[in-house]
Amino acid sequence: MARIVMKFGGTSVADIARIRNVARHVKREVDAGHEVAVIVSAMAGKTNELVGWVQDASKAEGSNFNIYDAREYDAVVASGEQVTAGLLALVLQAMGVHARSWQGWQIPLKTDTSHGAARIADIDGSFLIQRFSEGQVAVIAGFQGIAPDNRISTLGRGGSDTSAVAIAAAVNADRCDIYTDVDGVYTTDPRIEPKARRLARISFEEMLEMASLGAKVLQVRSVELAMVHKVRTFVRSSFEDPDAPGMGDFDNPPGTLICDEDEIVEQQVVTGIAYAKDEAQISLRRVADRPGVAAGIFGPLAEANINVDMIVQNISEDGSYTDMTFTVPSGDVAKALAVLEKGKEKVGYDVVQHDDGMSKVSVIGIGMRSHAGVAASAFRALSEKGINIRAITTSEIKISILIDGPYTELAVRTLHSVYGLDKQ
Ligand code: ASP
Ligand code: MG
């Protein structure tokens, strides 16, 4: 017998028929004798609709300007998950499963006061453990909690993954199963490279990079949390027949296990290729080379909430001037340029240049720590395809390369094959 947290995303609970299918997955685990808690998202599209209503309602009359009270935003958008939790409990009951729904505040899942993007502060697992001991399946509304001001809070878009992992940690679950509309984590995006393979296992660190670099399977924060608390997290499909062979095999179900690297026996050098489109490159030419310049540039950008990604600074030739290049999401270029213009005098630079429509392609693998030449093979392969490299950044387990957007697909396929990910 195991203790399992099961999480179902929006497309998996999009209508009653799909909720019935979800209930069959739950019943399968309950019938196998496991203790089960279920976390649900809102029905697909529901949260977007609710956010739209909030924006509409908070517009001042005759103006396009809208600024809304984040506490009321939370009161509205948290309702989507409340609905699915209740519906799934009803469907489970109709199937003869002893189930009950719970809202975030009832657990309670305590957060900080950052309404709209709250962070989890504390979850006392004993409430749910008590439910397990009563043989109850607890169906929990994801994405929401309760803030110190005694009001409902939400965890930011995609936050029900984080609810699930946090609850799995709090009840010391054997595994957190994330059921979604894909059947696992792939070596790269199968829509770009049909030879992409599903990974049986991937380490927390690699998954964190994959998720941050564009693979949208899991909310990044949920992976951080899984890594910190060592929650074995399993990505699998909710659309498969719940009773298909192997689905109920606890030790080896179909999908991808995100786990500690110690659990990965045969570590490949490179595990996956990720990409992010719509990046823009901004370069400041002839920046004074003196202490405080980087702080003077990136401080104001951070204050304006602009997410700066790759940063490349050259060593100046004569010790007086240098160039500074960095990337931001394309949508933030105008805002970034305005911030830079404002600080021009203080920072001291010649001109600012920018280029939209870039992509960042990344090679990820913990095996890189102990293998030389991984970056060199990427550069060679890209050059053979005539792909120009704009900027490069590396960490212990990844290499990110900035290229022109139209070459994204070719670069992804080239790198995927260079590291032998097409095979096996
Ligand atoms: N329903 C929320 C959203 O759409 C939370 C989630 O699905 O994880 O962002
Ligand atoms: Mg999601």
Side-chain angles (χ1 to χ4, degrees):
M1 186 204 80
R3 180 172 288 172
I4 313 176
V5 168
M6 305 171 79
K7 183 259 167 178
F8 296 90
T11 49
S12 307
V13 292
D15 54 39
I16 303 294
R18 290 204 184 154
I19 293 178
R20 286 214 169 89
N21 199 55
V22 161
R24 289 175 56 213
H25 283 287
V26 174
K27 186 170 189 309
R28 182 192 65 226
E29 304 297 351
V30 173
D31 289 348
H34 301 309
E35 291 178 335
V36 176
V38 187
I39 320 298
V40 287
S41 292
M43 290 167 151
K46 192 70 206 172
T47 309
N48 287 344
E49 181 182 50
L50 294 168
V51 170
W53 288 349
V54 167
Q55 288 170 342
D56 200 12
S58 52
K59 238 173 234 156
E61 212 173 320
S63 132
N64 284 325
F65 189 63
N66 91 51
I67 181 156
Y68 47 75
D69 184 314
R71 289 160 296 187
E72 302 308 341
Y73 166 95
D74 278 350
V76 176
V77 300
S79 66
E81 274 70 12
Q82 175 163 347
V83 171
T84 29
L87 290 174
L88 178 57
L90 287 168
V91 171
L92 283 166
Q93 288 173 1
M95 286 181 178
V97 176
H98 177 35
R100 177 68 60 208
S101 75
W102 303 98
Q103 307 300 302
W105 62 266
Q106 290 172 303
I107 304 292
L109 188 152
K110 293 185 186 160
T111 72
D112 64 12
T113 40
S114 313
H115 284 281
R119 297 190 77 90
I120 297 174
D122 180 51
I123 307 172
D124 179 357
S126 57
F127 174 88
L128 289 172
I129 290 168
Q130 182 61 33
R131 304 279 89 74
F132 293 141
S133 72
E134 293 161 5
Q136 186 197 97
V137 172
V139 182
I140 302 157
F143 181 51
Q144 49 158 278
I146 180 145
D149 59 7
N150 202 30
R151 299 192 61 89
I152 293 173
S153 51
T154 64
L155 307 179
R157 298 305 305 270
S160 52
D161 292 333
T162 300
S163 309
V165 171
I167 286 168
V171 301
N172 210 356
D174 294 285
R175 206 169 64 205
C176 180
D177 283 359
I178 307 275
Y179 285 79
T180 179
D181 47 11
V182 292
D183 65 358
V185 180
Y186 279 69
T187 48
T188 196
D189 185 344
R191 287 167 305 181
I192 289 189
E193 175 49 273
K195 290 185 211 141
R197 287 177 300 106
R198 186 171 74 199
L199 294 158
R201 295 184 174 204
I202 183 169
S203 71
F204 292 122
E205 269 188 282
E206 290 168 323
M207 190 61 214
L208 194 54
E209 295 286 2
M210 293 281 261
S212 322
L213 294 169
K216 295 192 177 59
V217 197
L218 289 174
Q219 198 200 34
V220 176
R221 265 171 60 201
S222 70
V223 187
E224 281 168 5
L225 211 61
M227 181 157 92
V228 170
H229 296 284
K230 293 201 186 295
V231 177
R232 301 171 86 239
T233 303
F234 198 79
V235 178
R236 55 191 299 181
S237 166
S238 70
F239 291 119
E240 270 160 68
D241 177 359
D243 301 312
M247 289 298 282
D249 176 356
F250 180 76
D251 294 314
N252 197 20
T256 303
L257 179 67
I258 307 166
C259 58
D260 201 86
E261 60 183 271
D262 296 346
E263 281 197 66
I264 302 176
V265 191
E266 254 191 281
Q267 185 62 54
Q268 307 294 318
V269 178
V270 169
T271 303
I273 313 292
Y275 67 93
K277 288 185 173 177
D278 296 323
E279 303 267 313
Q281 170 189 322
I282 297 180
S283 296
L284 298 176
R285 302 294 177 204
R286 287 179 64 79
V287 182
D289 192 8
R290 56 174 164 76
V293 171
I297 295 170
F298 297 112
L301 289 170
E303 272 159 37
N305 248 322
I306 295 169
N307 211 341
V308 174
D309 183 19
M310 305 170 101
I311 300 178
V312 184
Q313 186 199 318
N314 221 326
I315 299 191
S316 63
E317 202 184 333
D318 57 0
S320 53
Y321 293 103
T322 179
D323 285 347
M324 186 84 83
T325 294
F326 57 91
T327 63
V328 299
S330 284
D332 281 346
V333 174
K335 206 158 98 184
L337 293 177
V339 171
L340 293 169
E341 187 55 44
K342 226 171 117 194
K344 182 165 184 187
E345 209 122 300
K346 219 165 128 213
V347 177
Y349 60 85
D350 232 25
V351 281
V352 46
Q353 295 164 332
H354 68 97
D355 230 327
D356 283 11
M358 307 270 121
S359 286
K360 184 178 62 174
V361 179
S362 305
V363 177
I364 296 151
I366 49 177
M368 273 184 220
R369 284 195 202 121
S370 49
H371 279 78
V374 180
S377 351
F379 304 152
R380 196 179 321 113
L382 294 177
S383 81
E384 278 165 13
K385 300 283 179 193
I387 301 172
N388 188 33
I389 297 175
R390 300 272 201 148
I392 303 163
T393 57
T394 63
S395 80
E396 238 193 341
I397 67 159
K398 76 149 200 250
I399 306 156
S400 290
I401 300 169
L402 191 70
I403 58 169
D404 292 334
Y407 291 99
T408 316
E409 282 78 9
L410 179 61
V412 167
R413 283 196 291 265
T414 302
L415 296 172
H416 194 263
S417 107
V418 142
Y419 297 108
L421 297 174
D422 292 357
K423 301 191 197 92
Q424 295 151 34

